[in-house]
């Protein structure tokens, strides 16, 4: 049903899909210019694409629309440069050699009850660098999801057995995963330093679940 791919593990969905989309888009754009140049009897280097039109540079009235180009691409070889295959589509693969992990710094201000050891999170701050952001709202959601997983792993989720090896936390009634009630308001900030990948994207959100902690004594109850 789809071309073969290596999967989007390790926060690589945007990196792989975005990179492949950019590469395919470049191929389609190049072919669009070649077909438009043929229709306009011009050189591809002299053309500009803007607002759905392909025009001769400096002569905005001499143009064809992208719709015209697509019609020619699928209208038979007689409308195309000699030797060009019909169609206006491309399939590209992209899998960067180096990792695409993001950088993140997390800071939590907490209160710890010395008698019960209950931990209350007073403030939580995140600075995340996922390279170029496409949709900031989605990025914030992924950061918050990673923080929720980290809070759950550190404070709430525990597999407990009794002395005979019987699992005591086998349901979500006993094994507590974090909900909106347990997660504090998260102050999120972003740094966009482009990666060396096509598009400059990195993964995002794993900093909250995979972190090194340094603890500084603060409030006490």
């Amino acid at each position: 049903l789809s071309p073969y791919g290596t999967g989007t593990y390790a926060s690589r969905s945007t990196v792989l899909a975005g990179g492949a989309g950019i590469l395919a888009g470049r191929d389609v754009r190049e072919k669009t210019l070649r077909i438009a140049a043929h229709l306009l009897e011009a050189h591809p280097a002299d053309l500009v694409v803007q607002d759905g039109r392909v025009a001769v540079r400096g002569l905005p009235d001499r143009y064809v629309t992208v719709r015209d180009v697509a019609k020619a691409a699928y209208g038979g070889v007689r409308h195309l440069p000699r030797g060009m295959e019909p169609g206006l589509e491309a399939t590209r693969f992209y899998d960067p050699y180096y990792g695409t992990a993001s950088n993140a710094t997390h800071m939590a201000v907490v209160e710890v009850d010395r008698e019960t050891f209950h931990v209350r999170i007073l403030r939580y701050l995140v600075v995340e660098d996922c390279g170029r952001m496409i949709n900031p709202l989605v990025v914030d959601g992924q950061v918050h999801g990673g923080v929720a997983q980290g809070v759950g792993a550190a404070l709430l989720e525990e597999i407990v057995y009794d002395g005979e090896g019987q699992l005591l936390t086998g349901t979500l009634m006993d094994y507590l995963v974090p909900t909106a009630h347990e997660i504090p308001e998260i102050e999120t900030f972003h740094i966009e330093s482009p990666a060396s990948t096509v598009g400059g994207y990195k993964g995002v959100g794993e900093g909250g679940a995979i972190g090194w902690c340094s603890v500084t004594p603060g409030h006490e109850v």
Side-chain angles (χ1 to χ4, degrees), residues 119-188:
V119 177
R120 186 163 72 95
I121 302 174
L122 304 177
R123 190 179 181 191
Y124 202 101
L125 301 95
V126 180
V127 180
E128 181 100 16
D129 174 14
C130 66
R132 290 179 58 195
M133 283 195 293
I134 296 176
N135 188 326
L137 185 62
V138 170
V139 171
D140 282 349
Q142 289 182 273
V143 171
H144 294 174
V147 171
Q149 286 186 301
V151 170
L155 301 178
L156 304 173
E157 302 174 49
E158 183 180 9
I159 298 176
V160 179
Y161 295 89
D162 64 16
E164 298 179 352
Q166 180 67 35
L167 179 64
L168 301 179
T169 53
T171 73
L172 294 180
M173 292 292 292
D174 307 300
Y175 183 89
L176 180 60
V177 296
T179 68
H181 179 72
E182 286 79 31
I183 302 303
E185 181 177 349
I186 302 168
E187 301 173 53
T188 308

Coordinates of all heavy atoms in Angstrom, one line a residue, residues 119-188:
V119 N 5.8 14.3 47.1 CA 6.5 15.4 46.3 C 5.4 16.2 45.6 O 4.5 15.7 45.0 CB 7.4 14.8 45.3 CG1 8.0 15.9 44.4 CG2 8.5 14.0 46.0
R120 N 5.5 17.5 45.8 CA 4.6 18.4 45.1 C 5.4 19.3 44.2 O 6.3 20.0 44.6 CB 3.8 19.3 46.1 CG 2.7 20.1 45.4 CD 1.7 20.6 46.5 NE 2.3 21.6 47.4 CZ 2.1 22.9 47.2 NH1 1.5 23.4 46.1 NH2 2.7 23.8 48.0
I121 N 5.0 19.3 42.9 CA 5.8 20.2 41.9 C 5.2 21.6 42.0 O 4.0 21.8 41.7 CB 5.6 19.6 40.5 CG1 6.2 18.1 40.5 CG2 6.4 20.4 39.5 CD1 6.0 17.4 39.2
L122 N 6.0 22.5 42.3 CA 5.6 23.9 42.4 C 5.8 24.6 41.0 O 4.9 25.5 40.7 CB 6.4 24.6 43.4 CG 6.4 24.0 44.8 CD1 7.3 24.8 45.8 CD2 5.0 24.0 45.4
R123 N 6.8 24.3 40.3 CA 7.0 25.0 39.0 C 7.8 24.1 38.1 O 8.7 23.4 38.6 CB 7.8 26.3 39.3 CG 7.9 27.2 38.0 CD 8.6 28.5 38.4 NE 8.7 29.4 37.2 CZ 9.4 30.5 37.1 NH1 10.2 30.8 38.1 NH2 9.4 31.2 36.0
Y124 N 7.5 24.1 36.8 CA 8.3 23.3 35.9 C 8.5 24.1 34.6 O 7.6 24.6 34.0 CB 7.4 22.0 35.5 CG 8.3 20.9 35.0 CD1 8.7 19.8 35.8 CD2 8.8 20.9 33.7 CE1 9.5 18.8 35.3 CE2 9.6 19.9 33.2 CZ 9.9 18.9 34.0 OH 10.8 17.9 33.6
L125 N 9.8 24.1 34.3 CA 10.2 24.9 33.1 C 11.0 24.0 32.1 O 11.7 23.1 32.5 CB 11.1 26.1 33.5 CG 10.6 27.1 34.5 CD1 11.0 26.7 35.9 CD2 11.1 28.5 34.1
V126 N 10.8 24.2 30.8 CA 11.4 23.5 29.8 C 11.9 24.4 28.7 O 11.2 25.4 28.3 CB 10.4 22.5 29.1 CG1 11.1 21.7 28.0 CG2 9.8 21.6 30.1
V127 N 13.2 24.2 28.3 CA 13.7 24.9 27.1 C 14.1 23.7 26.2 O 14.9 22.9 26.5 CB 14.9 25.7 27.4 CG1 15.5 26.4 26.2 CG2 14.6 26.8 28.5
E128 N 13.4 23.7 25.0 CA 13.6 22.7 24.0 C 14.1 23.2 22.7 O 13.7 24.3 22.2 CB 12.2 22.0 23.8 CG 12.2 20.8 22.9 CD 12.3 19.5 23.6 OE1 12.0 19.4 24.8 OE2 12.6 18.4 23.0
D129 N 15.0 22.4 22.1 CA 15.5 22.8 20.7 C 15.2 21.6 19.8 O 15.9 20.6 19.8 CB 17.0 23.1 20.8 CG 17.6 23.3 19.4 OD1 16.8 23.5 18.5 OD2 18.8 23.3 19.3
C130 N 14.1 21.8 19.0 CA 13.8 20.7 18.0 C 14.1 21.1 16.6 O 13.6 20.6 15.6 CB 12.3 20.4 18.1 SG 11.2 21.7 17.6
G131 N 15.0 22.1 16.5 CA 15.3 22.6 15.1 C 14.2 23.5 14.6 O 13.6 24.2 15.4
R132 N 13.9 23.5 13.4 CA 12.8 24.3 12.8 C 11.5 23.7 13.3 O 11.3 22.5 13.2 CB 12.9 24.3 11.3 CG 14.1 25.1 10.7 CD 14.1 25.1 9.2 NE 12.8 25.6 8.7 CZ 12.4 25.4 7.4 NH1 13.2 24.7 6.6 NH2 11.3 25.9 7.0
M133 N 10.6 24.6 13.8 CA 9.3 24.2 14.2 C 8.3 24.4 13.0 O 8.3 25.4 12.4 CB 8.8 25.0 15.4 CG 9.4 24.6 16.7 SD 8.5 25.2 18.1 CE 8.8 27.0 17.9
I134 N 7.5 23.4 12.7 CA 6.4 23.5 11.7 C 5.2 24.0 12.4 O 4.5 24.9 11.9 CB 6.2 22.2 11.0 CG1 7.5 21.7 10.3 CG2 5.0 22.2 10.1 CD1 7.4 20.4 9.6
N135 N 4.8 23.3 13.5 CA 3.5 23.7 14.2 C 3.8 23.8 15.6 O 3.9 22.8 16.4 CB 2.5 22.6 13.9 CG 1.1 23.0 14.5 OD1 1.0 23.7 15.5 ND2 0.0 22.6 13.8
P136 N 4.0 25.1 16.1 CA 4.4 25.3 17.5 C 3.4 24.6 18.5 O 3.8 24.2 19.6 CB 4.4 26.8 17.7 CG 4.7 27.3 16.3 CD 4.0 26.3 15.4
L137 N 2.1 24.6 18.2 CA 1.1 24.0 19.1 C 1.4 22.5 19.3 O 1.3 22.0 20.4 CB -0.3 24.3 18.6 CG -1.4 23.9 19.6 CD1 -1.4 24.6 20.9 CD2 -2.8 24.1 18.9
V138 N 1.7 21.9 18.2 CA 1.9 20.4 18.3 C 3.2 20.2 19.0 O 3.3 19.2 19.8 CB 2.0 19.8 16.8 CG1 2.5 18.4 16.9 CG2 0.6 19.8 16.2
V139 N 4.2 21.0 18.8 CA 5.5 20.9 19.5 C 5.3 21.0 21.0 O 5.8 20.2 21.8 CB 6.5 21.9 19.0 CG1 7.8 21.9 19.9 CG2 6.9 21.6 17.5
D140 N 4.5 22.0 21.4 CA 4.2 22.2 22.8 C 3.6 20.9 23.4 O 3.9 20.5 24.5 CB 3.4 23.4 23.1 CG 4.1 24.7 23.0 OD1 5.4 24.7 23.0 OD2 3.5 25.8 23.0
G141 N 2.6 20.4 22.6 CA 1.9 19.2 23.1 C 2.9 18.0 23.3 O 2.7 17.2 24.2
Q142 N 3.8 17.8 22.4 CA 4.8 16.8 22.5 C 5.7 17.0 23.7 O 6.0 16.0 24.4 CB 5.6 16.6 21.2 CG 4.8 16.1 20.1 CD 5.7 15.9 18.8 OE1 5.8 16.8 18.0 NE2 6.2 14.7 18.6
V143 N 6.1 18.2 23.9 CA 6.9 18.5 25.1 C 6.1 18.2 26.4 O 6.7 17.6 27.3 CB 7.4 20.0 25.1 CG1 8.0 20.4 26.4 CG2 8.3 20.3 24.0
H144 N 4.9 18.6 26.4 CA 4.1 18.3 27.6 C 3.9 16.8 27.8 O 3.9 16.4 29.0 CB 2.7 19.0 27.5 CG 2.8 20.5 27.5 ND1 1.7 21.4 27.3 CD2 3.9 21.4 27.7 CE1 2.1 22.6 27.3 NE2 3.4 22.6 27.6
G145 N 3.7 16.1 26.8 CA 3.5 14.7 26.9 C 4.8 14.0 27.4 O 4.7 13.1 28.2
G146 N 6.0 14.5 27.0 CA 7.2 13.9 27.5 C 7.4 14.2 29.0 O 7.8 13.4 29.7
V147 N 7.0 15.4 29.4 CA 7.1 15.8 30.8 C 6.2 14.9 31.6 O 6.5 14.4 32.7 CB 6.7 17.3 31.0 CG1 6.6 17.6 32.5 CG2 7.8 18.1 30.4
A148 N 4.9 14.7 31.1 CA 4.0 13.8 31.8 C 4.6 12.4 32.0 O 4.4 11.8 33.1 CB 2.7 13.8 31.1
Q149 N 5.2 11.9 31.0 CA 5.8 10.6 31.1 C 6.9 10.6 32.1 O 7.1 9.6 32.9 CB 6.3 10.1 29.7 CG 5.2 9.7 28.7 CD 5.8 9.1 27.5 OE1 6.6 9.8 26.8 NE2 5.5 7.9 27.2
G150 N 7.7 11.6 32.1 CA 8.8 11.7 33.1 C 8.3 11.8 34.5 O 8.9 11.2 35.4
V151 N 7.3 12.6 34.7 CA 6.7 12.7 36.1 C 6.1 11.4 36.5 O 6.3 11.0 37.7 CB 5.6 13.8 36.1 CG1 4.8 13.8 37.4 CG2 6.2 15.2 35.9
G152 N 5.5 10.7 35.6 CA 4.9 9.4 36.0 C 6.0 8.4 36.3 O 5.9 7.7 37.3
A153 N 7.1 8.4 35.5 CA 8.2 7.4 35.8 C 8.9 7.8 37.1 O 9.3 6.9 37.9 CB 9.2 7.4 34.7
A154 N 9.0 9.0 37.4 CA 9.8 9.4 38.6 C 9.0 9.4 39.9 O 9.5 9.0 41.0 CB 10.3 10.9 38.5
L155 N 7.7 9.7 39.9 CA 6.9 9.8 41.1 C 5.7 8.9 41.3 O 5.3 8.7 42.4 CB 6.4 11.3 41.2 CG 7.4 12.4 41.1 CD1 6.7 13.8 41.2 CD2 8.4 12.3 42.3
L156 N 5.2 8.3 40.2 CA 3.9 7.7 40.3 C 3.9 6.2 40.0 O 3.3 5.4 40.7 CB 2.8 8.4 39.5 CG 2.7 9.9 39.8 CD1 1.7 10.5 38.8 CD2 2.1 10.1 41.2
E157 N 4.5 5.9 38.9 CA 4.4 4.5 38.3 C 5.4 3.6 39.0 O 6.6 3.9 39.0 CB 4.6 4.6 36.8 CG 3.6 5.5 36.1 CD 3.9 5.6 34.6 OE1 4.1 4.6 33.9 OE2 4.0 6.8 34.1
E158 N 4.9 2.5 39.5 CA 5.8 1.5 40.2 C 5.1 0.1 40.1 O 3.9 0.0 40.4 CB 6.0 1.9 41.6 CG 7.0 0.9 42.3 CD 7.2 1.3 43.8 OE1 6.5 2.2 44.3 OE2 8.1 0.7 44.4
I159 N 5.9 -0.8 39.7 CA 5.5 -2.2 39.7 C 5.8 -2.8 41.0 O 7.0 -2.9 41.4 CB 6.1 -3.0 38.5 CG1 5.7 -2.4 37.2 CG2 5.7 -4.5 38.6 CD1 6.4 -3.0 36.0
V160 N 4.8 -3.3 41.7 CA 5.0 -3.8 43.1 C 4.6 -5.2 43.2 O 3.5 -5.6 42.7 CB 4.2 -2.9 44.1 CG1 4.4 -3.5 45.5 CG2 4.6 -1.4 44.0
Y161 N 5.4 -6.0 43.8 CA 5.1 -7.5 44.1 C 5.1 -7.7 45.6 O 5.8 -7.0 46.4 CB 6.2 -8.4 43.5 CG 6.3 -8.3 42.0 CD1 7.1 -7.4 41.3 CD2 5.5 -9.2 41.2 CE1 7.1 -7.3 39.9 CE2 5.6 -9.2 39.8 CZ 6.4 -8.2 39.2 OH 6.5 -8.2 37.8
D162 N 4.3 -8.7 46.0 CA 4.3 -9.0 47.4 C 5.4 -10.0 47.7 O 6.2 -10.4 46.7 CB 3.0 -9.6 47.8 CG 2.6 -10.9 47.1 OD1 3.5 -11.5 46.5 OD2 1.4 -11.2 47.2
G163 N 5.5 -10.5 48.9 CA 6.6 -11.4 49.3 C 6.6 -12.7 48.5 O 7.6 -13.4 48.5
E164 N 5.5 -13.1 48.0 CA 5.4 -14.4 47.2 C 5.5 -14.2 45.7 O 5.2 -15.1 45.0 CB 4.1 -15.1 47.6 CG 4.0 -15.4 49.1 CD 2.7 -16.1 49.4 OE1 1.8 -16.1 48.5 OE2 2.5 -16.6 50.5
G165 N 5.8 -13.0 45.3 CA 6.0 -12.7 43.9 C 4.7 -12.4 43.2 O 4.7 -12.4 41.9
Q166 N 3.6 -12.1 43.9 CA 2.4 -11.8 43.3 C 2.3 -10.3 42.9 O 2.6 -9.5 43.7 CB 1.2 -12.2 44.2 CG -0.2 -11.9 43.6 CD -0.5 -12.8 42.5 OE1 -0.2 -13.9 42.5 NE2 -1.3 -12.2 41.5
L167 N 2.0 -10.0 41.6 CA 1.9 -8.7 41.2 C 0.7 -7.9 41.9 O -0.4 -8.4 41.8 CB 1.8 -8.6 39.7 CG 1.6 -7.2 39.1 CD1 2.9 -6.4 39.3 CD2 1.3 -7.3 37.6
L168 N 1.0 -6.8 42.5 CA 0.0 -6.1 43.2 C -0.5 -4.9 42.4 O -1.5 -4.2 42.8 CB 0.5 -5.6 44.6 CG 1.0 -6.7 45.5 CD1 1.6 -6.0 46.8 CD2 -0.1 -7.7 45.8
T169 N 0.2 -4.5 41.4 CA -0.2 -3.3 40.6 C -0.5 -3.7 39.2 O 0.1 -3.2 38.2 CB 0.9 -2.3 40.6 OG1 2.2 -2.9 40.2 CG2 1.1 -1.7 42.0
G170 N -1.4 -4.6 39.0 CA -1.7 -5.2 37.7 C -2.8 -4.5 36.9 O -3.1 -4.8 35.8
T171 N -3.4 -3.5 37.6 CA -4.4 -2.7 36.9 C -4.2 -1.2 37.1 O -3.4 -0.8 37.9 CB -5.8 -3.0 37.4 OG1 -6.0 -2.4 38.7 CG2 -6.1 -4.5 37.5
L172 N -4.8 -0.4 36.3 CA -4.6 1.1 36.4 C -5.3 1.6 37.7 O -5.1 2.8 37.9 CB -5.2 1.8 35.2 CG -4.4 1.5 33.9 CD1 -5.1 2.2 32.7 CD2 -3.0 1.8 34.0
M173 N -6.0 0.8 38.4 CA -6.5 1.2 39.7 C -5.4 1.3 40.7 O -5.4 2.0 41.7 CB -7.6 0.2 40.2 CG -8.9 0.3 39.4 SD -9.8 1.8 39.7 CE -10.3 1.7 41.4
D174 N -4.3 0.5 40.5 CA -3.2 0.4 41.4 C -1.9 1.0 40.9 O -1.1 1.5 41.6 CB -2.9 -1.0 41.8 CG -4.2 -1.7 42.3 OD1 -4.8 -1.2 43.3 OD2 -4.6 -2.7 41.7
Y175 N -1.8 0.9 39.5 CA -0.6 1.5 38.9 C -1.0 2.8 38.3 O -1.7 2.9 37.3 CB -0.2 0.5 37.7 CG 1.1 0.9 37.0 CD1 2.3 0.5 37.5 CD2 1.0 1.7 35.9 CE1 3.5 0.9 36.8 CE2 2.2 2.1 35.2 CZ 3.4 1.7 35.7 OH 4.5 2.1 35.0
L176 N -0.5 3.9 39.0 CA -1.0 5.2 38.7 C -0.2 5.9 37.5 O 1.0 6.1 37.7 CB -0.9 6.1 39.9 CG -1.4 7.5 39.8 CD1 -2.9 7.6 39.3 CD2 -1.2 8.3 41.1
V177 N -0.9 6.1 36.4 CA -0.3 6.9 35.4 C -0.7 8.3 35.5 O -1.8 8.6 36.0 CB -0.7 6.4 34.0 CG1 -0.1 5.0 33.8 CG2 -2.1 6.4 33.8
P178 N 0.1 9.3 35.2 CA -0.3 10.7 35.5 C -1.5 11.1 34.6 O -1.7 10.8 33.5 CB 1.0 11.5 35.1 CG 1.7 10.6 34.1 CD 1.4 9.2 34.6
T179 N -2.3 12.0 35.3 CA -3.4 12.6 34.6 C -3.2 14.1 34.7 O -2.2 14.6 35.2 CB -4.8 12.2 35.3 OG1 -4.8 12.8 36.6 CG2 -4.9 10.7 35.4
A180 N -4.2 14.9 34.2 CA -4.1 16.3 34.2 C -4.0 16.8 35.7 O -3.4 17.9 35.9 CB -5.3 17.0 33.5
H181 N -4.5 16.1 36.6 CA -4.5 16.5 38.0 C -3.1 16.4 38.6 O -2.7 17.2 39.4 CB -5.4 15.6 38.9 CG -5.4 15.9 40.3 ND1 -6.0 17.0 40.8 CD2 -4.9 15.2 41.4 CE1 -5.8 17.0 42.1 NE2 -5.1 16.0 42.5
E182 N -2.3 15.5 38.1 CA -0.9 15.3 38.7 C 0.1 16.1 37.9 O 1.2 16.3 38.4 CB -0.5 13.8 38.6 CG -1.2 12.9 39.6 CD -2.6 12.5 39.2 OE1 -2.8 12.4 38.0 OE2 -3.4 12.3 40.1
I183 N -0.2 16.6 36.7 CA 0.8 17.4 35.9 C 0.7 18.8 36.2 O -0.4 19.4 36.1 CB 0.6 17.1 34.5 CG1 0.7 15.6 34.2 CG2 1.7 17.8 33.6 CD1 2.0 15.0 34.7
P184 N 1.8 19.5 36.5 CA 1.7 21.0 36.8 C 1.6 21.7 35.5 O 1.8 21.2 34.4 CB 3.1 21.2 37.5 CG 4.0 20.2 36.9 CD 3.2 19.0 36.7
E185 N 1.4 23.0 35.6 CA 1.5 23.9 34.5 C 2.9 23.9 34.0 O 3.9 24.1 34.8 CB 1.0 25.3 34.8 CG 1.1 26.3 33.7 CD 0.5 27.6 34.0 OE1 -0.1 27.8 35.1 OE2 0.7 28.6 33.2
I186 N 3.2 23.8 32.7 CA 4.5 23.7 32.2 C 4.9 24.9 31.4 O 4.2 25.3 30.5 CB 4.6 22.4 31.3 CG1 4.2 21.1 32.1 CG2 6.0 22.3 30.7 CD1 4.0 19.9 31.2
E187 N 5.9 25.6 31.9 CA 6.4 26.8 31.1 C 7.4 26.3 30.1 O 8.4 25.8 30.4 CB 7.1 27.7 32.1 CG 6.1 28.2 33.2 CD 6.8 29.0 34.3 OE1 7.5 30.0 33.9 OE2 6.8 28.7 35.5
T188 N 7.0 26.6 28.8 CA 7.8 26.0 27.7 C 8.4 27.1 26.9 O 7.7 28.1 26.5 CB 6.9 25.1 26.8 OG1 6.2 24.2 27.6 CG2 7.7 24.4 25.8

